[in-house]
Amino acid sequence: MLKALKVFKELKQEDISVLGAIERLMRKYEYVPVEMIAKEAKMDINDVEYYLSRLNKFELVRRWIGPYIGYVLNMHGYDCLALHALVCKDVISAIGRKLGVGKEADVYDALTPDGRRVVLKFHRIGRISFRSVRRVRVYVGDRRHTSWLYISRLSAKREFEALKILYPLGVAVPEPIAHNRHVVVISFIDGIELSEVKELSDPQGFLGEIIENLRIAYVDGGIVHADLNAYNIIVTDDEEMLIIDWPQWVSTIHPSAEMLLRRDLKNIFKFFRKRFGIEADEEEALKYIKGE
Ligand SMILES: Nc1ncnc2c1ncn2[C@@H]1O[C@H](COP(=O)(O)OP(=O)(O)O)[C@@H](O)[C@H]1O
Ligand SMILES: [Mg+2]
């Protein structure tokens, strides 16, 4: 279960206000002083101290004791803020089980107020290693501020942007429903990862369809996936596909776009060669995808 959910129902409006104040002040302070939190949340200092100790007990914030006492949000606190916003906006009404344990995200199924089953993807960049932090530097650019909170939010924003472009073009991607902080809400698909699929009725046709989707993404969307592999393609019982996991996409005019597209293709071709014994011409596919 999502850790933030354990305490989410117990949170009062004041807890959320204090979390929100810390979030805003974290742009300015490495550790946010208690007085500043009180000022930002427009609360009495004694009340703030009370709520801070609650939040600390709930493990939503981290207390720092240095020349002064300061606080920062931790991942669970950030999850609570995003959940609160999504519930307030009537995007979701319930969260279910964990669907995927990815390297860089926690994925849960959820319900909308009208009973639609959706997916909540919590981006968690920088949780495990700095490898991923380095990887997102492409889009962090010159900005010095590369805290986990900032890059996780950026990662979610990037993924949502890609889906907003690709879904209307008819590329086989989840429907983007909503986005808040480091969380994206997308349509749910009942399937398994391609890497788990032992048999396909028409592997050649399936590969062709992947290429077709990459072509539309490239030519009409101006987008290269850049992290494509058999784990990021979901296959349903009816052998329909969905290409997921887009936060690291690059624009087709990005200097590394061709190299990344080539790498995507290599991954997929290697999988189809090993699993289904299919040989395909990489250069030809590359040209086709680029619309040449
Ligand atoms: N729209 C979706 N419907 C069903 N399952 C999903 C969906 N999106 C992701 N998942 C599951 O969650 C896993 C992780 O999601 P993914 O977007 O690949 O993030 P990451 O690999 O970066 O952690 C996927 O491999 C898949 O099993
Ligand atoms: Mg993935």
Side-chain angles (χ1 to χ4, degrees), residues 99-107 119 121 159 174 186-190 193 231-232 234 242 244-247:
L99 290 176
V101 196
K103 287 192 305 288
E104 289 167 353
D106 288 330
V107 179
V119 162
K121 179 172 174 182
E159 177 158 45
I186 54 181
S187 59
F188 170 82
I189 186 175
D190 201 2
E193 292 163 10
Y231 301 97
N232 286 334
I234 302 186
L242 216 58
I244 61 164
D245 205 359
W246 291 83

Side-chain angles (χ1 to χ4, degrees), residues 94-159:
I95 300 192
R97 67 192 171 94
K98 197 169 193 164
L99 290 176
V101 196
K103 287 192 305 288
E104 289 167 353
D106 288 330
V107 179
Y108 288 82
D109 75 350
L111 286 177
T112 65
D114 51 12
R116 181 176 179 199
R117 201 171 167 194
V118 295
V119 162
L120 287 191
K121 179 172 174 182
F122 294 79
H123 287 243
R124 310 239 190 255
I125 313 280
R127 170 176 58 181
I128 293 169
S129 72
F130 281 102
R131 183 192 66 85
S132 47
V133 177
R134 225 179 296 122
R135 219 177 58 167
V136 293
R137 239 175 237 158
V138 182
Y139 54 84
V140 172
D142 287 340
R143 300 207 34 184
R144 291 253 177 270
H145 194 63
T146 48
S147 73
W148 61 270
L149 185 143
Y150 174 75
I151 53 176
S152 297
R153 175 156 51 88
L154 197 54
S155 173
K157 180 166 166 270
R158 295 253 324 162
E159 177 158 45

